[in-house]
Amino acid sequence: MDGVIILAHGSRRQESDIILDSLAKKVTAIAGSQPIVTAFLQFSERSLDKAVESLVKDGVKRITVVPMFLFDGVHVTEDIPEALAAMEAQYPEIAIRMSRHLGDDDRIAQIILDRMHSIQW
């Protein structure tokens, strides 16, 4: 069975948990029965390693980590890959891979345009 972790940076503000959970519910509604969990890289008890542990306990054998980051900074290029390598060493029977970060996807450009036009002067 395959599982997904939607990974956000994290914030000390509780609103970030609410937003990430809402996005995960929307993705789950589209993806179907595939287990999808959320995690934060920093500032939260909902850590990446706890998310991996949860999916492993549920019988997942392949995990895709989707980083919700716009830029390929140090978290995307170093911190997350290093954390995932450590988790693969801890769970050698589990394959863990990171997808591409959000980046400069054309769909994000469309969201920016939508926001630009949402202001009523």
Side-chain angles (χ1 to χ4, degrees), residues 85-118:
M87 284 176 236
E88 277 197 308
Q90 182 179 352
Y91 301 103
E93 71 284 3
I94 307 299
I96 306 172
R97 300 291 180 268
M98 181 176 78
S99 74
R100 186 175 178 275
H101 63 291
L102 298 180
D104 65 346
D105 191 295
D106 291 345
R107 292 166 290 184
I108 295 173
Q110 186 59 53
I111 292 170
I112 293 170
L113 285 170
D114 290 347
R115 296 301 186 267
M116 288 167 46
H117 297 296
S118 71

Side-chain angles (χ1 to χ4, degrees), residues 25-114:
K25 286 178 185 173
K26 292 172 185 178
V27 172
T28 299
I30 297 166
S33 63
Q34 187 175 28
I36 298 173
V37 298
T38 59
F40 294 97
L41 195 57
Q42 298 178 341
F43 308 119
S44 176
E45 291 184 17
R46 294 167 52 182
S47 64
L48 180 57
D49 54 338
K50 286 182 181 177
V52 168
E53 180 182 343
S54 171
L55 288 174
V56 169
K57 284 182 181 178
D58 287 344
V60 169
K61 297 295 180 191
R62 295 189 313 180
I63 299 172
T64 300
V65 176
V66 180
M68 285 192 33
F69 291 75
L70 288 178
F71 307 106
D72 59 350
V74 70
H75 289 319
V76 170
T77 60
E78 296 176 24
D79 298 340
I80 299 169
E82 288 172 7
L84 296 181
M87 284 176 236
E88 277 197 308
Q90 182 179 352
Y91 301 103
E93 71 284 3
I94 307 299
I96 306 172
R97 300 291 180 268
M98 181 176 78
S99 74
R100 186 175 178 275
H101 63 291
L102 298 180
D104 65 346
D105 191 295
D106 291 345
R107 292 166 290 184
I108 295 173
Q110 186 59 53
I111 292 170
I112 293 170
L113 285 170
D114 290 347

